[in-house]
Amino acid sequence: MATADDDVAGAKAVLAAYRSALVARDADAMSALFADESFMFENGKSEGSFADYLAHHLGPELGAIASFTFERPTVAVTRAGHLAYGRETYGYRIELTDGRVIARDGVATSILTHDASGWTIVQYHSSSRAPRSE
């Protein structure tokens, strides 16, 4: 039988799997992590469901990405019944096929739901900014 700690670990694993799927540019793996009725928000814009976000925003960008890496990812998850709330920080670097490089510091918050099949993301909000020079 799973304990509450195991279930929090499962929610953390889903968030880590999303980052891994982004790095691999694997749209199917990303889609499997989101509920059908999900909500995506990025940098002050509502992107609709994850399916909408993939079809109209992220999906078209995937072919232009030569590499995607995350740096210093942190994740914290708090469970509340069948829900979990995730908080993440990270740096990321995207190298595009045309040679451009995008480097950002990012944060994300998420809400995940749990049922018999495990955790899925129902709401995801991310934002980023250029890294501060030190």
Side-chain angles (χ1 to χ4, degrees), residues 13-114:
V14 167
L15 296 175
Y18 181 53
R19 280 194 314 275
S20 294
L22 280 168
V23 167
R25 298 177 305 284
D26 185 337
D28 291 336
M30 286 183 256
S31 295
L33 301 169
F34 285 82
D36 291 339
E37 187 177 342
S38 58
F39 303 91
M40 291 293 295
F41 302 93
E42 183 180 75
N43 290 329
K45 183 176 187 283
S46 175
E47 300 280 355
S49 68
F50 183 77
D52 294 334
Y53 177 63
L54 186 60
H56 303 290
H57 183 137
L58 181 60
E61 293 175 346
L62 292 177
I65 297 173
S67 74
F68 194 133
T69 56
F70 283 95
E71 302 163 344
R72 308 170 318 278
T74 67
V75 62
V77 173
T78 302
R79 182 165 182 186
H82 291 289
L83 296 177
Y85 305 90
R87 301 164 306 283
E88 300 175 79
T89 64
Y90 45 79
Y92 67 87
R93 179 181 169 90
I94 300 171
E95 295 182 22
L96 300 173
T97 56
D98 66 7
R100 289 180 295 152
V101 174
I102 301 165
R104 297 283 186 267
D105 288 330
V107 296
T109 57
S110 54
I111 301 172
L112 299 91
T113 188
H114 187 269

